[in-house]
Structure formats: structure tokens, C-alpha cells
Amino acid sequence: MSKRRAIAFVLPQFHPIPENDQWWGKGFTEWTNVTKARPLFEGHYQPQLPADLGFYDLRLPEAREAQASLAKEHNIFGFCYYHYWFNGKRLLHKPLDDMLHLGTPNMPFMYCWANENWTRRWDGQENDILIEQTYSKEDDKEHIIWLCEQVFNDKRYITVNGAPVFMIYRHNLFPDIRETIALWRTIAVEEYGFPDLYLCMTESFNTQDDPTAFGFDASVEFSAHAILGHECTPKRKRLFLKRPKNNLVFKDFKKGVKVSISRAQPEYKFFRSVTPAWDNTARKGVNGVVALGSSPELYKKWLKEAVSKSTVYSADENFIFINAMNEWAEGNHLEPCIKYGLSYLEATKNILDNYK
């Protein structure tokens, strides 16, 4: 069997920043939402509270080390950190800057640019924008220079044939993504001596575009959105809340997994992805979305099928993505919780052990 390198998405949101103090209240972090969650229907698993790692603060080296150690113990090769850049202004960057400065933990990593507006709705839409995401050739240049000088040259950074792997969350928001990519490649090669860049785009919001048409090298299945594409009517889910009006939307986790598994490998380079679960009511309350039917057993089946159906394009192009390590406010986490403990991580290790 061919080896697969599992990359888990990691959110750096678990520490306070001045902007969040201003927007949401002093000391706000993602844990603020997690701890205030409540069950909204019969059998609803909320709040989802951390077990082994506790309510960590990612500003602490010990917290980052514990997170990485737990992942490595369960065959996760590396992390894909979300990167927030708004015309030179960055958010939630201190844990990542410290990780770069200290050289620890010894965990391979890459960046994914979450290139959306920062809004009160936490979903990048146009409602109540706090920081707008805009694009320009000048910013493209400043951004790639910063990445080449501060990030891509780290010895832990994940590469394909020496080319740093960088991911774009929403390629369709750029005015001319091909122009941006061409500029990035030119600067990375001619000014910084990289052999190339290896650029991936996510299939966010269930887009399934050919990445090569935009100048990318590969696409990455965004499994969380794949799950959210299938609605369902809950059986015997008696809602507790009468007022205010409950606007919960239910999705069919099992159907989403089935559709993902049945998808044929496209002709272009495509890396599959899996998701532990989904429930963003910690963040959105009665206006949230809950995917019904998730379990460690179903996740294990999904991961097994994703690995077996994936294509290894080269010794370096063998990724399986897991979305996510720690999206606690969206009920989407490999990290141990009080209900499932290490079950999701143990399932991950079990499957990946067979593909070493």
C-alpha cells in the first residue's frame, strides 16, 4: 500500500486579540462560544467540551506542543493553518508567528489563506463587514513577498518537489486569479529561488472547478461543505426551544459521506478530505446548522474509503486532508471531547497505519 500524508486543518482562534475584544467583548475567544452552547433538541450533543487538551490558549508554546504531539501520536503528518490577511493586516497570527520564531513544535505545516470578508456572521458573507477583503496587484506582491520571507523558508514547511504548498480558500473572489498566481510564481522563483509554488484551491461551497483552468496545481475537497449540501428532516427530534423562533437547519451527514465516497477521481489532481462532524450552534445558536448521523465509526469508514480511492500522484503528492483538528465552535474536531474522547483520533491512526 502507498503511504498517505494526513493534513489536519487548524484554527488559530483560541486566544484573545484586540479586534475581538472590541467586536465581541473583552477576552473573547472561540471557547467563549463553545462554553455557552446548550442542547436545542432531544439528544443534541451540546456543549461539546474539550477533554485531554483542556481549554488551551494557543499563545502558549506548551499548548501548541501538546496539540501537535497528540496529532503525531495518531498518524497526522502535518497541520494546515488558516491564515488571515487583509491588505497587509493580519489577524489571529500570534500563535503562528511564535511557532515560526521558536521553531517548535516540530510539526510539518502549510498555510491556507481564508480570503473572505471578516463579518459578524463568521461566514464571509456581505452582512455587517468588520474587515473587508480587497485585492490589488500591489497587495498580491506584498503578500507573496511576506510569505516567501517569513513562512515558506521554514524547514518544516510542506513542499512538493521543493515547492511550498499554499492553499486558497475561495479562488472565485479574486478579480483575476490567474494574474495573481502568475505574479506569485514569478516572484517566488526569480526573487527567492524556490523551484516553484504548489498551489491548491479548496472546493469551498461545493465548487468543483478544474484547478488548472485558473493556474492552480490541484484542488482539495472541502468535506465540511460536502456534508452541508444534503438537507434532511429529523426523526423524533423534539425541539426544546419555543421562543425565540427556532430556525435550525438539519443536514444529512450519512448522505454527504455516501456522495463523497461515490465520487470518481477527476482527471485533474484532486486531494480527498474527511470531516469528523458538524454542528455550529455553539456559534449561531437557534440559527445554526446541525449535521445528523455523524459518529466515530462513520468517520472511520469515510477515511478508509477516502484513502483507498485517492490517487498518489508522486512521492510528495499523497495528501489526505482532515477538516478539522479544532473547529470546536462548529462541532468539527478531532481533538478529544468529553463524549467521544480519543475515538476520532484513534480511528484516524487505525486507518492510516495500514497505508504506511
Side-chain angles (χ1 to χ4, degrees), residues 19-33:
E19 290 84 357
N20 278 342
D21 284 350
Q22 177 184 350
W23 296 331
W24 311 104
K26 189 71 173 177
F28 175 89
T29 74
E30 281 281 74
W31 296 127
T32 308
N33 287 329

Side-chain angles (χ1 to χ4, degrees), residues 60-77:
L60 300 175
E62 298 86 351
R64 300 193 297 269
E65 190 67 52
Q67 183 184 57
S69 294
L70 189 64
K72 287 193 290 185
E73 288 167 7
H74 293 88
N75 281 354
I76 293 173
F77 172 79

Side-chain angles (χ1 to χ4, degrees), residues 41-45 227-228 230-237 239 248-257 277-279 289-295 298:
F41 53 86
E42 186 176 6
H44 187 201
Y45 174 38
I227 290 298
L228 300 183
H230 306 282
E231 294 192 11
C232 71
T233 301
K235 297 178 181 179
R236 298 183 298 277
K237 295 292 179 183
L239 298 184
L248 284 178
V249 174
F250 293 98
K251 302 292 184 176
D252 191 331
F253 194 93
K254 293 181 180 179
K255 184 173 182 180
V257 170
W278 183 272
D279 178 350
V289 178
V290 180
L292 301 175
S294 64
S295 68
L298 183 54

Side-chain angles (χ1 to χ4, degrees), residues 140 144 148 152 163-164 166 177-200 211-212 214-218:
D140 286 343
I144 197 62
C148 287
F152 292 163
F166 186 62
I177 187 61
R178 291 190 64 89
E179 182 179 60
T180 296
I181 286 176
L183 176 65
W184 283 356
R185 292 190 193 275
T186 297
I187 291 175
V189 173
E190 296 183 0
E191 297 187 25
Y192 291 94
F194 292 104
D196 202 347
L197 297 175
Y198 194 89
L199 301 174
C200 300
T212 62
F214 303 94
F216 289 92
D217 296 284

Side-chain angles (χ1 to χ4, degrees), residues 61 64-66 68-69 72 79 81 99 102-109 156:
R64 300 193 297 269
E65 190 67 52
S69 294
K72 287 193 290 185
F79 287 159
Y81 292 111
M99 177 269 297
L102 295 174
T104 58
N106 185 24
M107 183 73 165
F109 70 93
R156 296 163 294 171

Side-chain angles (χ1 to χ4, degrees), residues 304-318:
K304 181 180 180 180
E305 292 292 333
V307 169
S308 65
K309 292 178 180 294
S310 64
T311 298
V312 174
Y313 299 101
S314 72
D316 286 345
E317 296 170 290
N318 55 357

